[in-house]
Amino acid sequence: MLNASERFFLIDCGEGTQKQLRVHKIRFTKIEHVFISHLHGDHCFGLIGLISSLGLLGRKAALHIHSHPDLEKILQPQLDFFCKELPFEVKFEPFNPKESTVIYSDKNLEVETIPLRHRVPTVGFLFKEKPEDRKVKKEFVFIHQPSIREILDIKKGADYHTKDGIRIPNAQITNNPPPIRSYAFCTDTKYTEGIVDQIKNVDVLYHEATFSKDMAALAKKTYHSTAEQAATIARKAEVGELLIGHFSSRYKDLNVLLNEAKTVFSNTSLAEEGRVFNILLK
Ligand SMILES: [Zn+2]
Ligand SMILES: [Zn+2]
């Protein structure tokens, strides 16, 4: 679950999702958009249960589900059968998983897909804040008394012209807006450097690390990554922080994977159930 200024975005919805949301007291009624990376059960089996519960809780607002076009074919019959009286609309928002596209945009945030390499068509998601307007300096407003129209133009980067025709460059009368933050979510995928450019410099990268490096052959065969590979992507993309997850159940001690990743990229953490991470500027 991504909380972006109190807007809630659910990314993938495996079987245990609803239970974990309840256990960790996350207000899942506030979810407006769900992003499904690919149509493997561990990433979408939780949808029908979650939607049904939202209906019982009396939700009215539409729920948008962004996914491969086939999800509608799978989920609509279940909705027709189990959720006949649903008090809100489920809006399917299909995208083409083969290309990178902007699939969501509001005034603060944009989401684009990151094509990955897995056994079925799969994408990651890149969440990027939109830059705010430039901040107009108070002294300038006090001295020159610009009109509202002029202030709006200056916020967008325009210079100011005094009544005597003197040009004051924008940089002198404004301050930079706060820097934007970004988060990339990449699961499931084999090691692919093709994503590095797109996720370059993100503040936080979540990357799957299903296996340890001694199982690299199995990782390749099943289109998954090792912890070392996840960390290599993080290092090449020069991200701020790496979160690893999607661990094979064979690992009883996840420190094996954490330590392996840390030897390549030190600022790595385990994305374990219930943990909360702040997205800090790198
Ligand atoms: Zn998968
Ligand atoms: Zn998976």
Side-chain angles (χ1 to χ4, degrees):
M1 179 83 103
L2 178 70
N3 174 351
S5 309
E6 297 307 304
R7 298 201 71 179
F8 291 87
F9 300 90
L10 183 66
I11 314 166
D12 282 342
C13 188
E15 192 183 356
T17 300
Q18 187 181 168
K19 183 187 162 211
Q20 293 293 358
L21 291 170
R22 288 179 189 271
V23 166
H24 298 290
K25 301 198 165 39
I26 294 169
R27 303 255 312 271
F28 63 89
T29 49
K30 291 172 93 179
I31 300 168
E32 287 174 60
H33 291 264
V34 181
F35 297 88
I36 301 293
S37 62
H38 66 298
L39 301 182
H40 275 158
D42 55 328
H43 299 259
C44 60
F45 277 177
L47 276 171
I48 188 68
L50 183 68
I51 292 170
S52 171
S53 292
L54 288 172
L56 294 173
L57 291 166
R59 182 196 177 92
K60 295 277 182 291
L63 182 73
H64 301 259
I65 303 180
H66 305 260
S67 73
H68 186 288
D70 281 354
L71 182 69
E72 184 170 0
K73 285 189 229 160
I74 301 160
L75 200 57
Q76 190 61 54
Q78 295 183 50
L79 291 171
D80 293 343
F81 191 90
F82 294 112
C83 304
K84 288 189 188 73
E85 311 276 293
L86 207 61
F88 65 93
E89 189 185 359
V90 175
K91 290 191 101 158
F92 291 96
E93 313 258 7
F95 56 75
N96 175 0
K98 294 212 171 70
E99 59 186 29
S100 169
T101 28
V102 174
I103 55 169
Y104 173 83
S105 180
D106 64 27
K107 77 180 200 315
N108 304 315
L109 188 82
E110 192 169 90
V111 184
E112 67 187 42
T113 52
I114 308 166
L116 299 173
R117 294 186 65 198
H118 194 43
R119 299 192 304 280
V120 297
T122 301
V123 299
F125 300 104
L126 176 59
F127 293 78
K128 267 193 295 196
E129 285 180 323
K130 286 184 177 167
E132 287 178 25
D133 286 345
R134 301 191 60 76
K135 306 282 177 211
V136 184
K137 290 183 184 172
K138 286 203 177 68
E139 332 60 283
F140 161 76
V141 178
F142 183 72
I143 295 166
H144 292 275
Q145 309 273 315
S147 67
I148 303 285
R149 176 75 254 162
E150 285 167 329
I151 289 178
L152 292 174
D153 290 345
I154 292 165
K155 283 182 169 190
K156 299 283 179 213
D159 296 337
Y160 179 71
H161 297 271
T162 67
K163 307 207 170 41
D164 311 327
I166 299 165
R167 184 178 69 90
I168 309 180
N170 187 277
Q172 273 179 31
I173 54 177
T174 59
N175 291 315
N176 290 332
I180 57 164
R181 289 171 298 173
S182 54
Y183 170 60
F185 173 93
C186 295
T187 196
D188 300 352
T189 186
K190 73 195 290 194
Y191 178 76
T192 172
E193 291 180 3
I195 66 174
V196 168
D197 282 347
Q198 202 184 346
I199 63 170
K200 196 94 187 173
N201 286 314
V202 295
D203 299 305
V204 178
L205 167 66
Y206 170 92
H207 195 290
E208 73 129 290
T210 306
F211 298 108
S212 53
K213 63 181 178 185
D214 56 312
M215 312 221 79
L218 185 61
K220 194 173 176 188
K221 192 171 150 208
T222 56
Y223 286 75
H224 283 295
S225 299
T226 67
E228 184 181 63
Q229 288 169 338
T232 305
I233 294 294
R235 196 182 62 194
K236 284 183 188 283
E238 300 176 75
V239 307
E241 182 177 4
L242 171 66
L243 310 180
I244 53 172
H246 200 273
F247 315 116
S248 161
S249 58
R250 78 190 66 218
Y251 298 102
K252 300 297 171 235
D253 178 11
L254 296 174
N255 284 314
V256 174
L257 299 167
L258 181 62
N259 293 334
E260 179 181 310
K262 278 187 162 181
T263 58
V264 179
F265 189 85
S266 60
N267 195 13
T268 302
S269 299
L270 296 171
E272 292 172 294
E273 300 288 357
R275 284 187 75 178
V276 177
F277 297 90
N278 287 312
I279 298 185
L280 303 171
L281 289 167
K282 65 169 281 216

mmCIF file of all heavy atoms in Angstrom, residues 132-136 140-141 146-160 170 173-174:
data_model
loop_
_atom_site.group_PDB
_atom_site.id
_atom_site.type_symbol
_atom_site.label_atom_id
_atom_site.label_comp_id
_atom_site.label_asym_id
_atom_site.label_seq_id
_atom_site.Cartn_x
_atom_site.Cartn_y
_atom_site.Cartn_z
ATOM 1 N N GLU A 132 5.959 20.912 -8.087
ATOM 2 C CA GLU A 132 5.076 22.027 -7.731
ATOM 3 C C GLU A 132 5.517 23.285 -8.473
ATOM 4 O O GLU A 132 6.610 23.344 -9.013
ATOM 5 C CB GLU A 132 5.155 22.294 -6.216
ATOM 6 C CG GLU A 132 4.454 21.247 -5.389
ATOM 7 C CD GLU A 132 4.600 21.520 -3.899
ATOM 8 O OE1 GLU A 132 4.798 22.686 -3.505
ATOM 9 O OE2 GLU A 132 4.533 20.537 -3.139
ATOM 10 N N ASP A 133 4.655 24.310 -8.425
ATOM 11 C CA ASP A 133 5.033 25.600 -9.020
ATOM 12 C C ASP A 133 6.197 26.222 -8.252
ATOM 13 O O ASP A 133 6.430 25.892 -7.098
ATOM 14 C CB ASP A 133 3.843 26.561 -8.943
ATOM 15 C CG ASP A 133 2.769 26.195 -9.952
ATOM 16 O OD1 ASP A 133 3.068 25.409 -10.881
ATOM 17 O OD2 ASP A 133 1.636 26.693 -9.802
ATOM 18 N N ARG A 134 6.884 27.151 -8.910
ATOM 19 C CA ARG A 134 7.954 27.892 -8.236
ATOM 20 C C ARG A 134 7.343 28.779 -7.153
ATOM 21 O O ARG A 134 6.185 29.187 -7.246
ATOM 22 C CB ARG A 134 8.725 28.746 -9.257
ATOM 23 C CG ARG A 134 9.359 27.903 -10.376
ATOM 24 C CD ARG A 134 10.328 28.705 -11.206
ATOM 25 N NE ARG A 134 11.420 29.216 -10.397
ATOM 26 C CZ ARG A 134 12.448 28.473 -9.949
ATOM 27 N NH1 ARG A 134 12.528 27.204 -10.266
ATOM 28 N NH2 ARG A 134 13.399 29.018 -9.209
ATOM 29 N N LYS A 135 8.129 29.039 -6.122
ATOM 30 C CA LYS A 135 7.622 29.835 -4.992
ATOM 31 C C LYS A 135 8.023 31.296 -5.189
ATOM 32 O O LYS A 135 9.224 31.600 -5.265
ATOM 33 C CB LYS A 135 8.225 29.325 -3.677
ATOM 34 C CG LYS A 135 8.013 27.836 -3.438
ATOM 35 C CD LYS A 135 6.597 27.548 -2.961
ATOM 36 C CE LYS A 135 6.371 26.052 -2.789
ATOM 37 N NZ LYS A 135 5.008 25.628 -3.049
ATOM 38 N N VAL A 136 7.034 32.176 -5.268
ATOM 39 C CA VAL A 136 7.319 33.598 -5.482
ATOM 40 C C VAL A 136 7.775 34.233 -4.155
ATOM 41 O O VAL A 136 7.155 34.027 -3.113
ATOM 42 C CB VAL A 136 6.058 34.326 -6.002
ATOM 43 C CG1 VAL A 136 6.381 35.790 -6.316
ATOM 44 C CG2 VAL A 136 5.527 33.625 -7.253
ATOM 45 N N PHE A 140 9.387 40.414 -3.198
ATOM 46 C CA PHE A 140 9.087 40.858 -4.562
ATOM 47 C C PHE A 140 7.623 41.299 -4.663
ATOM 48 O O PHE A 140 7.312 42.352 -5.220
ATOM 49 C CB PHE A 140 9.388 39.720 -5.557
ATOM 50 C CG PHE A 140 8.708 39.897 -6.881
ATOM 51 C CD1 PHE A 140 9.180 40.812 -7.802
ATOM 52 C CD2 PHE A 140 7.550 39.180 -7.191
ATOM 53 C CE1 PHE A 140 8.528 41.013 -9.008
ATOM 54 C CE2 PHE A 140 6.893 39.370 -8.384
ATOM 55 C CZ PHE A 140 7.385 40.292 -9.298
ATOM 56 N N VAL A 141 6.732 40.485 -4.115
ATOM 57 C CA VAL A 141 5.303 40.800 -4.186
ATOM 58 C C VAL A 141 5.039 42.122 -3.460
ATOM 59 O O VAL A 141 4.296 42.985 -3.955
ATOM 60 C CB VAL A 141 4.460 39.656 -3.563
ATOM 61 C CG1 VAL A 141 2.970 39.999 -3.586
ATOM 62 C CG2 VAL A 141 4.710 38.347 -4.328
ATOM 63 N N PRO A 146 2.633 42.749 -8.078
ATOM 64 C CA PRO A 146 2.191 42.179 -9.362
ATOM 65 C C PRO A 146 0.723 41.759 -9.301
ATOM 66 O O PRO A 146 0.197 41.528 -8.202
ATOM 67 C CB PRO A 146 3.100 40.950 -9.529
ATOM 68 C CG PRO A 146 3.495 40.585 -8.138
ATOM 69 C CD PRO A 146 3.548 41.856 -7.348
ATOM 70 N N SER A 147 0.099 41.684 -10.466
ATOM 71 C CA SER A 147 -1.302 41.243 -10.509
ATOM 72 C C SER A 147 -1.360 39.724 -10.298
ATOM 73 O O SER A 147 -0.338 39.032 -10.403
ATOM 74 C CB SER A 147 -1.899 41.583 -11.880
ATOM 75 O OG SER A 147 -1.263 40.786 -12.872
ATOM 76 N N ILE A 148 -2.554 39.221 -10.039
ATOM 77 C CA ILE A 148 -2.739 37.764 -9.858
ATOM 78 C C ILE A 148 -2.252 37.029 -11.110
ATOM 79 O O ILE A 148 -1.553 36.018 -11.042
ATOM 80 C CB ILE A 148 -4.236 37.432 -9.627
ATOM 81 C CG1 ILE A 148 -4.797 38.180 -8.425
ATOM 82 C CG2 ILE A 148 -4.448 35.929 -9.504
ATOM 83 C CD1 ILE A 148 -4.384 37.666 -7.069
ATOM 84 N N ARG A 149 -2.623 37.561 -12.276
ATOM 85 C CA ARG A 149 -2.228 36.959 -13.558
ATOM 86 C C ARG A 149 -0.702 36.842 -13.642
ATOM 87 O O ARG A 149 -0.150 35.819 -13.999
ATOM 88 C CB ARG A 149 -2.790 37.851 -14.689
ATOM 89 C CG ARG A 149 -2.443 37.479 -16.113
ATOM 90 C CD ARG A 149 -3.231 36.270 -16.593
ATOM 91 N NE ARG A 149 -2.359 35.106 -16.632
ATOM 92 C CZ ARG A 149 -2.775 33.857 -16.668
ATOM 93 N NH1 ARG A 149 -4.053 33.576 -16.655
ATOM 94 N NH2 ARG A 149 -1.927 32.863 -16.708
ATOM 95 N N GLU A 150 -0.047 37.949 -13.278
ATOM 96 C CA GLU A 150 1.429 37.960 -13.338
ATOM 97 C C GLU A 150 2.025 36.956 -12.347
ATOM 98 O O GLU A 150 2.985 36.252 -12.667
ATOM 99 C CB GLU A 150 1.957 39.378 -13.055
ATOM 100 C CG GLU A 150 1.750 40.322 -14.241
ATOM 101 C CD GLU A 150 1.976 41.799 -13.890
ATOM 102 O OE1 GLU A 150 1.725 42.211 -12.732
ATOM 103 O OE2 GLU A 150 2.397 42.539 -14.782
ATOM 104 N N ILE A 151 1.441 36.871 -11.170
ATOM 105 C CA ILE A 151 1.957 35.922 -10.171
ATOM 106 C C ILE A 151 1.842 34.486 -10.698
ATOM 107 O O ILE A 151 2.780 33.686 -10.586
ATOM 108 C CB ILE A 151 1.214 36.064 -8.820
ATOM 109 C CG1 ILE A 151 1.620 37.387 -8.160
ATOM 110 C CG2 ILE A 151 1.535 34.891 -7.890
ATOM 111 C CD1 ILE A 151 0.932 37.664 -6.846
ATOM 112 N N LEU A 152 0.703 34.184 -11.304
ATOM 113 C CA LEU A 152 0.512 32.830 -11.841
ATOM 114 C C LEU A 152 1.561 32.515 -12.905
ATOM 115 O O LEU A 152 2.117 31.410 -12.945
ATOM 116 C CB LEU A 152 -0.904 32.667 -12.425
ATOM 117 C CG LEU A 152 -2.041 32.685 -11.390
ATOM 118 C CD1 LEU A 152 -3.395 32.671 -12.073
ATOM 119 C CD2 LEU A 152 -1.919 31.522 -10.415
ATOM 120 N N ASP A 153 1.849 33.509 -13.763
ATOM 121 C CA ASP A 153 2.868 33.312 -14.803
ATOM 122 C C ASP A 153 4.259 33.128 -14.188
ATOM 123 O O ASP A 153 5.034 32.278 -14.625
ATOM 124 C CB ASP A 153 2.890 34.506 -15.777
ATOM 125 C CG ASP A 153 1.643 34.546 -16.662
ATOM 126 O OD1 ASP A 153 0.934 33.508 -16.713
ATOM 127 O OD2 ASP A 153 1.385 35.588 -17.284
ATOM 128 N N ILE A 154 4.547 33.927 -13.168
ATOM 129 C CA ILE A 154 5.867 33.840 -12.518
ATOM 130 C C ILE A 154 6.036 32.469 -11.862
ATOM 131 O O ILE A 154 7.105 31.862 -11.922
ATOM 132 C CB ILE A 154 6.020 34.980 -11.482
ATOM 133 C CG1 ILE A 154 6.104 36.329 -12.215
ATOM 134 C CG2 ILE A 154 7.261 34.781 -10.620
ATOM 135 C CD1 ILE A 154 5.904 37.538 -11.320
ATOM 136 N N LYS A 155 4.967 31.967 -11.240
ATOM 137 C CA LYS A 155 5.031 30.631 -10.621
ATOM 138 C C LYS A 155 5.384 29.563 -11.641
ATOM 139 O O LYS A 155 5.977 28.538 -11.318
ATOM 140 C CB LYS A 155 3.679 30.280 -9.993
ATOM 141 C CG LYS A 155 3.426 30.962 -8.674
ATOM 142 C CD LYS A 155 2.094 30.497 -8.127
ATOM 143 C CE LYS A 155 1.941 30.956 -6.678
ATOM 144 N NZ LYS A 155 0.782 30.340 -6.050
ATOM 145 N N LYS A 156 4.974 29.793 -12.899
ATOM 146 C CA LYS A 156 5.277 28.825 -13.963
ATOM 147 C C LYS A 156 6.645 29.087 -14.594
ATOM 148 O O LYS A 156 7.044 28.391 -15.526
ATOM 149 C CB LYS A 156 4.199 28.873 -15.069
ATOM 150 C CG LYS A 156 2.800 28.535 -14.602
ATOM 151 C CD LYS A 156 2.619 27.038 -14.411
ATOM 152 C CE LYS A 156 1.210 26.713 -13.927
ATOM 153 N NZ LYS A 156 1.157 25.550 -13.037
ATOM 154 N N GLY A 157 7.329 30.152 -14.152
ATOM 155 C CA GLY A 157 8.692 30.376 -14.645
ATOM 156 C C GLY A 157 8.887 31.652 -15.443
ATOM 157 O O GLY A 157 9.995 31.916 -15.937
ATOM 158 N N ALA A 158 7.833 32.483 -15.589
ATOM 159 C CA ALA A 158 7.967 33.707 -16.399
ATOM 160 C C ALA A 158 8.804 34.764 -15.672
ATOM 161 O O ALA A 158 8.836 34.815 -14.444
ATOM 162 C CB ALA A 158 6.580 34.276 -16.695
ATOM 163 N N ASP A 159 9.465 35.613 -16.452
ATOM 164 C CA ASP A 159 10.166 36.759 -15.886
ATOM 165 C C ASP A 159 9.125 37.845 -15.599
ATOM 166 O O ASP A 159 7.979 37.759 -16.046
ATOM 167 C CB ASP A 159 11.198 37.302 -16.887
ATOM 168 C CG ASP A 159 12.288 36.265 -17.165
ATOM 169 O OD1 ASP A 159 12.488 35.375 -16.311
ATOM 170 O OD2 ASP A 159 12.907 36.338 -18.254
ATOM 171 N N TYR A 160 9.556 38.897 -14.880
ATOM 172 C CA TYR A 160 8.632 40.006 -14.574
ATOM 173 C C TYR A 160 9.126 41.276 -15.251
ATOM 174 O O TYR A 160 10.319 41.546 -15.285
ATOM 175 C CB TYR A 160 8.551 40.213 -13.061
ATOM 176 C CG TYR A 160 7.644 41.345 -12.671
ATOM 177 C CD1 TYR A 160 6.265 41.225 -12.802
ATOM 178 C CD2 TYR A 160 8.172 42.540 -12.173
ATOM 179 C CE1 TYR A 160 5.420 42.268 -12.453
ATOM 180 C CE2 TYR A 160 7.337 43.593 -11.816
ATOM 181 C CZ TYR A 160 5.961 43.449 -11.966
ATOM 182 O OH TYR A 160 5.123 44.491 -11.623
ATOM 183 N N ASN A 170 13.250 35.462 -13.668
ATOM 184 C CA ASN A 170 12.464 34.625 -12.754
ATOM 185 C C ASN A 170 13.293 34.137 -11.568
ATOM 186 O O ASN A 170 12.806 34.114 -10.426
ATOM 187 C CB ASN A 170 11.874 33.439 -13.536
ATOM 188 C CG ASN A 170 10.918 32.625 -12.695
ATOM 189 O OD1 ASN A 170 11.333 31.762 -11.933
ATOM 190 N ND2 ASN A 170 9.630 32.919 -12.804
ATOM 191 N N ILE A 173 13.327 36.273 -8.455
ATOM 192 C CA ILE A 173 12.095 36.585 -7.705
ATOM 193 C C ILE A 173 11.351 35.337 -7.235
ATOM 194 O O ILE A 173 10.270 35.423 -6.673
ATOM 195 C CB ILE A 173 11.149 37.475 -8.562
ATOM 196 C CG1 ILE A 173 10.860 36.825 -9.921
ATOM 197 C CG2 ILE A 173 11.751 38.858 -8.757
ATOM 198 C CD1 ILE A 173 9.895 37.604 -10.790
ATOM 199 N N THR A 174 11.954 34.188 -7.466
ATOM 200 C CA THR A 174 11.306 32.949 -7.009
ATOM 201 C C THR A 174 12.339 32.034 -6.349
ATOM 202 O O THR A 174 13.544 32.177 -6.553
ATOM 203 C CB THR A 174 10.687 32.144 -8.185
ATOM 204 O OG1 THR A 174 11.729 31.812 -9.112
ATOM 205 C CG2 THR A 174 9.590 32.897 -8.890
#
